[in-house]
Amino acid sequence: MIHYIIQTIAFQLVFLIIYDVFLKKETFFNWNRIYLLSTALLSLILPFVKVDSFKNVVSQNYIVSFPKLAFETQTPIVLDEVVLQGVNTSYDMLWYISAILILGCALALLYFLYRIISIVTLIYKNPKTKQKHIRIVQMLNSSAAFSFFNYVFLGEKIDAQNRESILKHELVHINQKHTLDLLFFELLRIVFWFNPFVYMYQNRTSDLHEFIADSKAVKHNKKQYYENLLSQVFDTKAVSFINPFFKQSLIKKRIIMLQKSKSKQYQLLKYALLIPMVLGMLVYSSCSDESNHVKKQDELNLSQYSYSLKKGEELVGAKKEIHNNYEAFLKNNPEYVAWAQISSDESEITYSVHSKLEEIPEGLTRTEVSSSNGSYLMYTNLHNSNNGRPESGELLNKIDAVKEQIEVQGNISDKEEKGIELLFDMLTLDAESVNQKLIEDVQNFNNAKNKSELHQRISDLFLAVQEQGDMSVEEELSLKTLLTLVSKAGLNSSFYEEVKDRIEIPFAIIDKVPEFPNSKTFASQEESKVFFNNKLNMFVGQNFNTELANTLKLSGVQKISVFFKIGHDGQIKDIKARASHPELEAEAIRVVSMLPTMVPGEQNGKQVTVPYYLPIKFEVK
């Protein structure tokens, strides 16, 4: 709501600035009337308009289409959303703001009704006459003149000579239904009583009504009309939704406009300014909805995880604490990655956290940082300073590059499959033996012409292995994990046991999904999934501490995203959660960790790890 109000006020400010600077002094009164009415309405509608093509989208270079074989946690089984109900008996600031807004609307409505009653009272208490489609109300002991719908109110003190020109003026208001314009802004004043621009819109529209009526009525007797404007006693009551003939603050403007030469037709081009303004507002409203707003706030808070280290500086004190928070955040939030950027003179390195969707600067290469309690992705610009040998992490990048390319293209050609087989043979080769045929086959593979992208990446991997020599334990396990998923041997490979803890099989291809212990036999995977969903939903609902709504003074809908895995041994592991409050994350992790040991999933007769994503919606009343 607050975001909508801010957008509405901002749009009205821009529209009014354009009007005052470019259009206000022109004599295109009816065009100006249309401009004010249409832009006031547009300012209310545009915040709701979301044009998908205007949204900031990720470049297609960073969007991949996942094949049936997926890796790690990119395609977890998405469980049905768990809906929790909670009650918060305390009041927050938003409640007080809402109460003030509603109270202001109520008072504005009462004031509007009071003025309507005042007009109706004038109609019934004063003598009336009818002329064609209008009714003339003669106000006793008054020199005021104004109109309201089909009623013209004329003070009895106005002499007969002036009544005719005033009546012609008021007839223009009636015929062009100016009262509807003013009532439209009056309704806006009730809802947006706190918005000064609504009052400015109404004042400018009221002025235009007088200019329009003057331009029509002055044609009959210009001299007499000027005398009427200059000689009357200005005692009209200040009612914002009537069209008063005598209004002291407006007389000077009306005389100036009556004497002003008509604007040239080419000046109409100024109204074309509305087109880029509306387009710009559409782009803004399309890209700044509530959800995006929250995301931007989250991204702004990422600065708390940034720090820099000088060359040779030890990681101690406050920087050590930031580093610990930085690693904990990355391990629990897989949608974010780290950037490690070395300065050009290599005197300092800066660490920061960024969304995966953010464009990665040129020169940064991907690597995985692993430890006993989790891992995360990092992009670095480490320079090659090992006398021609690949740097630490470069071989892992080559392995990841092969894996990513397979994900992108979704299939493997015969030539590319040959490269995978050679990698497999290389890993299974006895370290002490020399296989001349394997060496020749690898050389022929690397020297082939017209290589595909995957062929080239496999060749780069062979060269990196050759240059580096021995692989580290992490590099060897990473390559074995890749080959277990894409080689013909697959889960039946000789090194499956070494990497089974690292392999995760998504729902799309798994033979048998995990199950709760003692579950009955199901006819299909889908039935098994539905049963699993329902039982997990019930488990979370029974064990989640909904009293946190009161403790944390929550309101509205709280979204909690939970990622976890059911290991090849049926154990629940690698639980990660993301929510607006750390306490909600901790509670979600606590509840999921209470799940019993499951019957593990199976693929090709092997028990495997299966990743899951569990969305929780915590509705707080």
Side-chain angles (χ1 to χ4, degrees):
M1 179 182 67
I2 299 297
H3 191 53
Y4 169 76
I5 291 172
I6 291 172
Q7 286 190 75
T8 299
I9 292 175
F11 291 167
Q12 288 180 355
L13 172 61
V14 174
F15 284 135
L16 283 172
I17 289 174
I18 295 298
Y19 176 79
D20 284 352
V21 173
F22 297 102
L23 307 175
K24 188 177 180 180
K25 295 181 181 179
E26 302 299 335
T27 60
F28 302 122
F29 303 134
N30 282 314
W31 279 99
N32 281 352
R33 179 189 178 193
I34 293 171
Y35 175 89
L36 289 175
L37 290 172
S38 61
T39 55
L41 190 60
L42 279 172
S43 67
L44 304 177
I45 296 173
L46 284 176
F48 292 111
V49 179
K50 310 297 179 186
V51 181
D52 290 339
S53 58
F54 287 160
K55 290 184 179 179
N56 289 328
V57 295
V58 183
S59 170
Q60 293 299 313
N61 294 331
Y62 299 99
I63 298 178
V64 297
S65 55
F66 297 111
K68 290 185 179 179
L69 264 167
F71 302 94
E72 299 178 353
T73 59
Q74 292 170 333
T75 52
I77 296 178
V78 180
L79 298 167
D80 291 343
E81 185 174 61
V82 178
V83 180
L84 305 174
Q85 301 289 341
V87 178
N88 178 9
T89 56
S90 63
Y91 297 106
D92 60 9
M93 184 58 68
L94 185 60
W95 186 91
Y96 289 108
I97 293 174
S98 300
I100 292 171
L101 291 176
I102 294 171
L103 178 61
C105 290
L107 293 175
L109 177 60
L110 290 175
Y111 182 52
F112 171 72
L113 294 176
Y114 165 76
R115 289 177 292 165
I116 289 289
I117 293 171
S118 299
I119 297 293
V120 174
T121 303
L122 282 176
I123 294 173
Y124 281 99
K125 284 188 174 182
N126 292 284
K128 298 172 285 295
T129 59
K130 187 174 182 181
Q131 290 187 11
K132 296 181 180 179
H133 64 288
I134 68 169
R135 290 183 178 272
I136 300 175
V137 180
Q138 184 175 351
M139 295 185 295
L140 303 176
N141 197 29
S142 173
S143 60
F146 62 91
S147 62
F148 181 72
F149 283 113
N150 289 346
Y151 289 89
V152 176
F153 297 80
L154 295 175
E156 66 174 353
K157 293 183 180 180
I158 300 175
D159 58 59
Q161 186 178 8
N162 293 332
R163 288 175 70 90
E164 183 180 354
S165 60
I166 293 173
L167 190 57
K168 289 176 180 176
H169 175 99
E170 298 303 329
L171 277 173
V172 177
H173 289 311
I174 293 172
N175 291 334
Q176 297 203 7
K177 296 180 172 51
H178 289 169
T179 303
L180 291 176
D181 297 1
L182 298 180
L183 283 177
F184 166 68
F185 289 110
E186 199 66 28
L187 293 176
L188 290 187
R189 283 175 56 171
I190 294 173
V191 180
F192 298 96
W193 57 268
F194 50 85
N195 181 2
F197 300 120
V198 172
Y199 299 83
M200 295 171 67
Y201 259 104
Q202 190 177 44
N203 289 337
R204 281 157 176 72
T205 303
S206 180
D207 292 352
L208 272 176
H209 289 169
E210 299 310 312
F211 300 155
I212 292 170
D214 287 342
S215 66
K216 302 288 185 183
V218 76
K219 296 176 181 178
H220 303 283
N221 191 334
K222 197 170 187 177
K223 180 180 178 182
Q224 182 65 38
Y225 202 83
Y226 281 141
E227 289 177 355
N228 287 344
L229 291 176
L230 295 171
S231 64
Q232 296 297 321
V233 177
F234 313 114
D235 64 350
T236 301
K237 294 180 180 179
V239 181
S240 57
F241 50 84
I242 63 173
N243 292 110
F245 184 79
F246 304 116
K247 188 176 179 183
Q248 189 172 12
S249 61
L250 186 56
I251 297 295
K252 181 179 177 181
K253 295 179 184 177
R254 290 169 63 183
I255 293 175
I256 292 173
M257 280 298 180
L258 283 169
Q259 294 176 327
K260 191 176 180 66
S261 300
K262 286 189 176 182
S263 300
K264 303 295 184 182
Q265 288 298 307
Y266 70 84
Q267 298 287 354
L268 285 169
L269 292 173
K270 291 181 179 180
Y271 293 96
L273 289 169
L274 192 60
I275 297 173
M277 273 196 301
V278 172
L279 286 175
M281 292 173 181
L282 276 174
V283 171
Y284 173 77
S285 63
S286 297
C287 302
S288 61
D289 57 24
E290 296 283 359
S291 59
N292 284 340
H293 181 68
V294 172
K295 287 178 183 177
K296 287 177 182 176
Q297 292 299 320
D298 287 345
E299 289 171 3
L300 288 175
N301 293 333
L302 297 179
S303 59
Q304 64 183 302
Y305 303 114
S306 299
Y307 65 98
S308 298
L309 287 177
K310 300 287 185 183
K311 190 172 183 178
E313 181 182 357
E314 292 186 12
L315 188 60
V316 294
K319 288 187 178 180
K320 176 67 173 177
E321 184 176 348
I322 295 173
H323 172 77
N324 291 339
N325 293 334
Y326 153 97
E327 285 208 322
F329 177 83
L330 288 167
K331 290 174 181 177
N332 287 307
N333 296 277
E335 64 270 34
Y336 291 90
V337 296
W339 292 1
Q341 296 174 283
I342 300 176
S343 60
S344 57
D345 59 359
E346 300 189 2
S347 62
E348 184 179 45
I349 184 169
T350 301
Y351 296 90
S352 55
V353 176
H354 302 267
S355 167
K356 271 188 174 180
L357 300 180
E358 192 171 340
E359 185 174 352
I360 299 167
E362 291 185 9
L364 298 190
T365 54
R366 182 176 181 268
T367 188
E368 184 175 5
V369 179
S370 300
S371 63
S372 58
N373 61 346
S375 63
Y376 59 90
L377 293 180
M378 175 184 285
Y379 289 85
T380 69
N381 63 338
L382 293 173
H383 306 295
N384 193 340
S385 58
N386 296 329
N387 299 321
R389 292 185 60 194
E391 299 173 6
S392 175
E394 185 174 336
L395 188 54
L396 288 174
N397 290 337
K398 300 294 185 184
I399 297 170
D400 286 340
V402 172
K403 181 170 66 174
E404 289 170 357
Q405 186 58 35
I406 296 174
E407 290 175 357
V408 170
Q409 63 188 52
N411 53 63
I412 302 175
S413 69
D414 291 341
K415 288 184 178 179
E416 294 161 348
E417 188 173 351
K418 178 64 176 176
I420 297 294
E421 291 176 3
L422 292 174
L423 283 171
F424 189 87
D425 291 342
M426 179 185 69
L427 275 180
T428 55
L429 183 67
D430 187 348
E432 296 181 357
S433 63
V434 177
N435 189 322
Q436 189 62 37
K437 185 177 186 307
L438 176 60
I439 295 174
E440 291 176 1
D441 288 343
V442 170
Q443 288 177 341
N444 292 333
F445 182 84
N446 290 341
N447 295 331
K449 297 181 179 179
N450 301 320
K451 296 178 183 176
S452 66
E453 180 63 27
L454 179 56
H455 191 146
Q456 183 61 56
R457 294 191 181 192
I458 296 173
S459 295
D460 292 341
L461 178 55
F462 275 125
L463 292 173
V465 172
Q466 183 181 355
E467 290 178 10
Q468 180 169 316
D470 294 335
M471 286 187 285
S472 67
V473 173
E474 175 61 28
E475 291 165 343
E476 186 173 343
L477 288 175
S478 181
L479 184 53
K480 286 180 177 179
T481 302
L482 168 65
L483 294 176
T484 300
L485 287 169
V486 299
S487 68
K488 287 182 178 179
L491 301 182
N492 295 315
S493 66
S494 57
F495 40 73
Y496 167 73
E497 290 297 324
E498 293 182 66
V499 298
K500 64 182 180 181
D501 289 334
R502 304 165 65 96
I503 292 176
E504 298 164 11
I505 306 297
F507 178 73
I509 63 169
I510 194 169
D511 293 340
K512 181 182 176 183
V513 296
E515 297 175 351
F516 271 87
N518 303 317
S519 295
K520 63 180 182 179
T521 304
F522 297 97
S524 69
Q525 290 278 66
E526 287 300 328
E527 287 184 15
S528 178
K529 183 183 177 184
V530 169
F531 180 82
F532 188 95
N533 261 314
N534 293 339
K535 196 158 184 177
L536 181 63
N537 198 306
M538 185 182 300
F539 182 91
V540 174
Q542 291 173 346
N543 292 280
F544 197 95
N545 179 19
T546 55
E547 290 299 318
L548 285 172
N550 242 334
T551 306
L552 301 177
K553 301 187 184 303
L554 303 176
S555 64
V557 175
Q558 304 293 323
K559 294 284 190 178
I560 309 170
S561 298
V562 185
F563 297 88
F564 67 95
K565 299 170 187 174
I566 298 178
H568 61 84
D569 54 0
Q571 297 292 328
I572 308 299
K573 64 178 186 178
D574 295 344
I575 308 171
K576 302 172 185 177
R578 178 158 178 78
S580 55
H581 294 270
E583 292 85 353
L584 292 177
E585 294 177 356
E587 178 62 13
I589 293 172
R590 182 189 72 82
V591 172
V592 173
S593 65
M594 291 170 58
L595 287 167
T597 300
M598 302 290 180
V599 178
E602 292 184 8
Q603 179 74 8
N604 295 339
K606 302 281 188 179
Q607 294 181 337
V608 293
T609 298
V610 182
Y612 283 88
Y613 165 62
L614 173 66
I616 300 176
K617 182 166 72 172
F618 189 16
E619 296 178 342
V620 182
K621 297 180 181 179

